Amino acid sequence: MVINTRPDTGNGPDADPRPTLAVWKFASCDGCQLTLLDCEDELLGLTDRIRIEHFLEMSAAEGPDGERAELSGRGPYDLSLVEGSITTAEDAERIRHIRRISRRLVTIGACATAGGIQALRNFGDVAEFRAAVYARPEYIATLETSTPISAHVPVDFELRGCPIDRRQLLEVITAHLAGRKPGIPDHSVCFECKRRGTTCITVAHGTPCLGPVTHSGCGAICPAYGRGCYGCFGPSNSPNLRNMVRQLRHDGMSERDILRVFRTFNAASPEYAPVPDLAAEAAEEQDDSQARTDTTPEGPV
């Protein structure tokens, strides 16, 4: 169904017929919200089709009357874009409120879809981190973990990236206006390298690269400049982690380095959970192979 009217708010027949958009922030760096503002010319045309009702990064006002915007918003909204992860009890309650007042909810960026780089706390003691960062940690109220929005409320679509790609963001908004599913591909970065004619840096130079297991969307920028993919867009569809870890080991990465390269922007992605065991397994296989080589008797000269 094409969405061409906003929910009935009792404003009568003269109410603005454009659907409404709200943009929300939780624990994040604001980079994905800035991606929307960076759309510039496209954003001007977009406002003819959709009304930006709540967006604190852009304006402290809300609605046609310019009222002061509230952190939790009033709604209802046709489409909500949510950036950031849930790291406090207050945020967990606020996202439930936002879900109630949003017809469609789309999470944008690694923080909202996978917990973000702040999810490194999930692998350690958050009390130790708090004491190391803050002079008076007893005043800091935070959860033990950083979790994606989908861990707390139903999500209609997830747009990955750190930050997200502006073209994909425009596609998501346009698809909402047209009442269709967003056309976001789920193949790996390797596909993008082939499409732009970039030579595989792993095959050609032995450079460690996460491209085979990383979701597309960046345009394969890093491999195009001779650098391995860092996995900014999170895991691709059904990533072959076992072979990926073996390849990284073959390319000279230690077990510790393999853990570190996966624990960045999308550290808490469930798809990456097997990596520690796979890294240990690959290290053991390499040690066994080296031991067999060292004990093989030399043949006759």
Side-chain angles (χ1 to χ4, degrees):
M1 177 184 298
V2 177
I3 301 171
N4 54 20
T5 58
R6 63 171 303 187
D8 182 10
T9 57
N11 294 329
D14 296 330
D16 191 328
R18 292 174 298 170
T20 52
L21 171 69
V23 184
W24 312 94
K25 170 186 165 59
F26 289 86
S28 63
C29 70
D30 288 31
C32 293
Q33 295 181 81
L34 289 175
T35 299
L36 177 57
L37 295 178
D38 287 343
C39 290
E40 298 177 347
D41 293 341
E42 295 90 346
L43 186 60
L44 292 176
L46 193 64
T47 55
D48 291 335
R49 299 284 311 281
I50 192 168
R51 186 171 78 251
I52 301 177
E53 183 90 356
H54 180 100
F55 190 2
L56 292 180
E57 186 81 14
M58 183 180 72
S59 173
E62 179 173 349
D65 298 327
E67 300 176 12
R68 182 75 179 179
E70 300 175 359
L71 187 62
S72 295
R74 293 180 288 274
Y77 308 103
D78 290 294
L79 174 63
S80 279
L81 303 177
V82 181
E83 176 194 274
S85 64
I86 303 302
T87 58
T88 68
E90 290 79 8
D91 281 349
E93 178 57 36
R94 187 160 67 96
I95 191 58
R96 288 191 286 269
H97 169 72
I98 291 170
R99 175 71 269 190
R100 286 192 295 268
I101 62 175
S102 304
R103 291 185 61 187
R104 301 282 176 83
L105 189 148
V106 174
T107 51
I108 57 174
C111 296
T113 61
I117 200 166
Q118 57 269 30
L120 288 171
R121 70 167 70 180
N122 301 5
F123 305 99
D125 185 343
V126 70
E128 292 183 4
F129 293 148
R130 192 166 50 219
V133 173
Y134 299 99
R136 300 297 299 271
E138 63 271 19
Y139 293 121
I140 304 300
T142 187
L143 299 174
E144 294 291 324
T145 57
S146 172
T147 48
I149 300 301
S150 61
H152 301 268
V153 297
V155 170
D156 295 298
F157 191 81
E158 293 185 326
L159 187 62
R160 301 181 181 183
C162 187
I164 54 174
D165 178 75
R166 59 190 293 273
R167 296 162 298 181
Q168 290 192 345
L169 176 60
L170 289 170
E171 164 60 19
V172 167
I173 298 175
T174 301
H176 171 77
L177 291 171
R180 60 173 173 81
K181 180 180 179 180
I184 305 297
D186 60 359
H187 50 246
S188 70
V189 170
C190 290
F191 183 91
E192 294 191 326
C193 278
K194 291 179 174 64
R195 185 167 58 185
R196 66 182 296 167
T198 300
T199 300
C200 178
I201 58 175
T202 297
V203 173
H205 308 294
T207 303
C209 178
L210 292 182
V213 297
T214 298
H215 197 283
S216 63
C218 64
I221 297 174
C222 289
Y225 287 90
R227 303 191 333 179
C229 170
Y230 290 96
C232 305
F233 275 67
S236 58
N237 186 32
S238 301
N240 188 342
L241 289 177
R242 183 178 299 277
N243 283 345
M244 182 75 262
V245 168
R246 286 175 176 170
Q247 183 64 49
L248 293 175
R249 187 73 180 179
H250 177 269
D251 294 333
M253 295 186 72
S254 67
E255 181 179 349
R256 180 173 180 268
D257 289 338
I258 292 172
L259 289 178
R260 287 169 62 89
V261 79
F262 277 101
R263 288 182 178 176
T264 55
F265 315 97
N266 297 273
S269 294
E271 293 88 344
Y272 291 162
V275 168
D277 291 337
L278 293 175
E281 178 184 304
E284 185 177 349
E285 289 176 355
Q286 192 174 60
D287 291 342
D288 290 344
S289 177
Q290 184 63 45
R292 286 194 299 270
T293 301
D294 292 342
T295 57
T296 299
E298 296 183 1
V301 178

